[in-house]
Amino acid sequence: MKIVFASTPSQEEEINELVRYVYSNIFPHYFSDEEISQFKELKVLDTSLDFNTLKDAFQVMTSIQTVISILESSPLDEQYEMVFNKNVATLKEFGLFFPFDFEQFIETKSLKSSMLSIYTKADNELII
């Protein structure tokens, strides 16, 4: 008999928070607002799936965190391409759609000049 532990609600929330971070802090550096809107429609990194086990949820969280770390590095270093691809493959194994290659981020980084986007988090907010 094998005992497995189900993923916890806090893990599910952490995964959702990481996906929100990708959309608001990573994608705007590389893609236009129209492209990001299309990613939402295509359900890129859609987390509507439940992760069956504790291990599954941890693997997904770790893979997203690794992809974030690589894409936030400046300049984007090609030595991390294998690690990036391995983590993208892990996300795909768990049913998360992430249709990007490492080369796309290198190419789009050089094309994207400003970070003004509707998807970025505001630097300041008015509290009423």
Side-chain angles (χ1 to χ4, degrees):
M1 175 168 35
K2 184 176 182 180
I3 298 174
V4 294
F5 296 95
S7 62
T8 64
S10 62
Q11 286 176 314
E12 302 283 339
E13 182 54 38
E14 177 65 21
I15 291 169
N16 289 329
E17 190 61 40
L18 288 169
V19 170
R20 280 191 290 275
Y21 185 85
V22 169
Y23 271 91
S24 64
N25 293 51
I26 303 298
F27 284 166
H29 286 287
Y30 296 97
F31 304 105
S32 69
D33 287 349
E34 294 81 26
E35 290 171 316
I36 297 171
S37 178
Q38 288 176 344
F39 299 159
K40 285 188 177 249
E41 289 174 17
L42 293 171
K43 298 186 178 196
V44 171
L45 290 177
D46 180 43
T47 57
S48 61
L49 299 171
D50 288 332
F51 302 102
N52 298 329
T53 67
L54 197 63
K55 180 183 175 189
D56 293 352
F58 273 121
Q59 284 183 304
V60 168
M61 284 189 305
T62 304
S63 293
I64 296 173
Q65 289 168 338
T66 303
V67 167
I68 288 171
S69 294
I70 291 170
L71 294 177
E72 284 183 331
S73 66
S74 183
L76 200 53
D77 196 343
E78 291 186 19
Q79 75 180 16
Y80 297 117
E81 184 172 2
M82 283 181 39
V83 176
F84 177 87
N85 291 335
K86 179 182 181 286
N87 284 282
V88 169
T90 301
L91 292 174
K92 289 179 183 178
E93 283 177 29
F94 290 103
L96 292 173
F97 182 55
F98 194 78
F100 307 106
D101 293 326
F102 189 75
E103 289 297 320
Q104 287 177 279
F105 288 100
I106 291 175
E107 292 168 8
T108 56
K109 181 73 170 188
S110 62
L111 298 175
K112 184 88 169 125
S113 59
S114 71
M115 194 181 137
L116 188 58
S117 171
I118 61 171
Y119 291 98
T120 57
K121 186 176 178 184
D123 287 335
N124 58 4
E125 295 180 27
L126 182 60
I127 301 175
I128 298 177

